[in-house]
Amino acid sequence: MLETTQRLVLTPDSVRERDREFAAAALPLMPHVKRYALSLTRNEADADDIVQETYLRAHRYWSTFHDGTDCRKWLLTICRNAFTTNVHREERSIAVEDDELESLAAARTHNAARVAGVDDIYAQLDLGPAIRAAIDKLDTVFRDVVVLSDIEGFSYEEIAETLGIPMGTVRSRLFRARRHLQEALMVYALDAGFGRVQGAPRKSTAEATNNG
Amino acid sequence: MDSRRSECEAIVRRLWPYLDDKLPETDRERVTRHLEECDDCVSHFDYARAFLDAVHAARPPANPDDALRARVLTALSDHGLAI
């Protein structure tokens, strides 16, 4: 017991050393934390508050961070928790379809895009702004998983742990979110005039963009 | 013809987990083998892959924010950060 107590007492030097390690590892990642915080809050001032809270918590719990693991993902997980705590959000429970059916729906979306003549939009159009807008419009439960997976590169397991939901729910929400995004982008492309009018040749990319 | 179609459906059911590299090895091999000989399924997978690439490419830049960094450092110092 005495030995344990002694181990927990940090000298000023060891505190400084620990804090330097924290600063060197965590502070350079602040732009990533800010980007993720913005995806949660969609508001600059709230995002800054969440980033600050994230770093205060990260500093407090730095001893629990395992050296050699991904510090960025650790910070983003804390950020997500800080957001949830601060906002006291109530997650709506949304029934989701079987995730295999969502994969089938992805093929149907592709077929619909083919029929509409917008199946090569990813090669032909700069969809960056439209994709970001479509992600912003997603319901929170879907936006959460698609941002962590397809923007931040979390695995299914890491998302399940971060959000505290089962893996099956991660998959269902992620695949559903992707379908919503694909459908939104198809609508965007059609609205931009990048479709095939029956019996007429499709507009060129330049024409579609100019009209968009 | 029907068995071919049902195999295509079984393959497409695995589209997202395959692209996310989350299929068990035997399933993964089955999908890969099918894609080597089915242009229609390949087109679905290519379309989905192009979508994922576009989403990843669309992520906003992670820009340094000096004012936020200063604010966070001040808060950390107030809470005992010793550097």
Side-chain angles (χ1 to χ4, degrees):
Chain A
M1 184 62 193
L2 181 63
E3 197 181 326
T4 306
T5 308
Q6 280 174 337
R7 270 209 305 271
L8 291 175
V9 175
L10 293 172
T11 65
D13 278 351
S14 59
V15 168
R16 200 169 294 115
E17 178 61 27
R18 182 201 63 189
D19 282 0
R20 280 190 186 133
E21 281 175 12
F22 165 77
L27 292 180
L29 296 169
M30 200 179 297
H32 296 269
V33 179
K34 172 68 180 284
R35 178 177 66 200
Y36 181 54
L38 259 178
S39 81
L40 295 170
T41 63
R42 290 178 284 178
N43 170 298
E44 192 84 24
D46 290 346
D48 285 355
D49 289 345
I50 296 291
V51 171
Q52 177 174 317
E53 179 61 24
T54 299
Y55 275 86
L56 290 177
R57 290 186 189 189
H59 177 236
R60 199 178 311 141
Y61 296 110
W62 181 240
S63 60
T64 68
F65 174 71
H66 300 296
D67 206 16
T69 56
D70 190 330
C71 188
R72 185 182 65 93
K73 288 179 177 173
W74 184 69
L75 288 170
L76 296 192
T77 301
I78 295 174
C79 180
R80 174 62 172 59
N81 292 337
F83 170 71
T84 308
T85 314
N86 279 20
V87 180
H88 300 295
R89 291 177 323 137
E90 280 191 17
E91 292 212 354
R92 283 201 289 139
S93 173
I94 294 184
V96 285
E97 296 167 37
D98 177 69
D99 49 289
E100 287 191 5
L101 294 183
E102 285 297 341
S103 283
L104 283 177
R108 279 202 301 277
T109 306
H110 178 215
N111 286 335
R114 272 204 287 229
V115 169
V118 292
D119 54 321
D120 58 349
I121 50 173
Y122 301 113
Q124 298 291 330
L125 289 177
D126 172 17
L127 292 170
I131 290 171
R132 289 192 285 276
I135 289 174
D136 275 353
K137 283 182 188 160
L138 285 175
D139 207 289
T140 307
V141 293
F142 297 121
R143 197 173 69 244
D144 269 350
V145 288
V146 87
V147 166
L148 285 175
S149 169
D150 296 348
I151 300 285
E152 302 296 349
F154 279 49
S155 66
Y156 296 174
E157 293 85 350
E158 288 167 337
I159 297 170
E161 194 176 331
T162 299
L163 300 181
I165 55 178
M167 285 262 288
T169 307
V170 171
R171 281 196 299 269
S172 299
R173 289 183 184 179
L174 176 61
F175 303 164
R176 169 83 77 94
R178 288 172 176 169
R179 177 162 62 84
H180 287 326
L181 290 179
Q182 287 185 316
E183 289 168 354
L185 294 174
M186 200 167 89
V187 170
Y188 168 83
L190 289 169
D191 286 350
F194 192 75
R196 182 184 294 120
V197 179
Q198 216 164 19
R202 193 176 62 194
K203 287 182 182 180
S204 71
T205 307
E207 286 171 328
T209 306
N210 288 339
N211 290 345
Chain B
M1 185 62 191
D2 278 351
S3 69
R4 170 80 183 187
R5 191 176 302 147
S6 71
E7 178 62 7
C8 286
E9 182 176 319
I11 295 302
V12 170
R13 279 177 181 271
R14 292 162 170 79
L15 179 144
W16 290 127
Y18 180 84
L19 293 177
D20 290 334
D21 203 13
K22 284 294 176 190
L23 277 185
E25 191 55 35
T26 49
D27 270 12
R28 177 164 194 82
E29 285 170 4
R30 176 182 172 189
V31 173
T32 302
R33 271 200 310 276
H34 182 87
L35 292 179
E36 284 168 359
E37 57 193 34
C38 181
D39 289 345
D40 200 40
C41 285
V42 164
S43 75
H44 292 321
F45 280 62
D46 283 350
Y47 181 75
R49 191 178 283 114
F51 161 77
L52 290 179
D53 289 346
V55 171
H56 188 71
R59 70 181 191 170
N63 292 323
D65 181 337
D66 290 342
L68 177 61
R69 184 185 166 90
R71 173 186 158 179
V72 170
L73 274 173
T74 302
L76 284 168
S77 296
D78 290 347
H79 284 77
L81 181 77
I83 52 173

